[in-house]
Amino acid sequence: MQARIRVVVAKPGLDGHDRGAKVIARALRDAGMEVIYTGLHQTPEQIVETAIQEDADGIGLSVLSGAHMTLFRRVLELLAERDASDIVVFGGGIIPEDDITELQSLGVAALFTPGTSLESVVEWVRANVAAPVA
C-alpha cells in the first residue's frame, strides 16, 4: 500500500507574501497529500529540520523576494549535509528564466512561475515526489 506523499511548504527569508504558498499547500492537501506549512520567515535551517523531523518526501519553497538563488542553494546544501538529498526540492515564485536553469542544475527538481495551474503542480508532485511504500 502506498503511503500519502508528505510535503513541507515553506516561505524562506524575509518575504511576507504567502498567499501563493497557502494556495499551493491547500491544493496539495485537497489532492490527498499530507502538507506541513511552516509559515512566514523561515530560515533554510528551520525548513530542512522540519522536513527531516516530519519525514517529508518533498519541500516546496515559495520565493518572491529575489533571494531565490541563495535560499534554494542553502536548502540543497543543508539537505546534503544531513544526508537527506532524497527529499525532492521544488518551488515557485518570481524567478527569471536564466535563474531557473541554474537552480535546476543545482538540483531543484522543478520551478513554477506565476500563471502555472494548480492542477499541473499537483500532477507534477504526484509524478515526481514519491511516497514510501507503507
Side-chain angles (χ1 to χ4, degrees):
M1 180 175 176
Q2 187 83 4
R4 291 189 345 171
I5 296 171
R6 293 178 59 86
V7 178
V8 169
V9 175
K11 283 295 298 182
L14 300 177
D15 179 9
H17 302 285
D18 64 347
R19 183 176 180 156
K22 288 179 177 177
V23 168
I24 292 295
R26 174 172 238 142
L28 296 175
R29 183 206 64 196
D30 290 351
M33 297 175 209
E34 291 184 50
V35 178
I36 300 96
Y37 176 62
T38 64
L40 291 169
H41 311 301
Q42 299 294 295
T43 66
E45 290 80 7
Q46 290 170 315
I47 294 164
V48 168
E49 185 63 30
T50 298
I52 290 169
Q53 285 183 10
E54 293 290 341
D55 198 24
D57 304 302
I59 298 173
L61 300 175
S62 172
V63 182
L64 300 169
S65 66
H68 48 271
M69 296 304 295
T70 301
L71 294 168
F72 277 96
R73 180 179 281 117
R74 185 66 180 140
V75 167
L76 291 166
E77 288 170 353
L78 290 166
L79 287 170
E81 288 173 13
R82 300 284 303 271
D83 197 28
S85 294
D86 59 322
I87 299 174
V88 178
V89 177
F90 63 97
I94 308 295
I95 303 172
E97 189 63 41
D98 288 345
D99 291 349
I100 289 173
T101 302
E102 186 174 346
L103 287 168
Q104 288 175 326
S105 72
L106 292 173
V108 177
L111 291 155
F112 303 98
T113 55
T116 302
S117 72
L118 294 176
E119 295 81 17
S120 63
V121 174
V122 167
E123 289 307 313
W124 184 89
V125 171
R126 279 190 181 135
N128 295 281
V129 182
V133 176

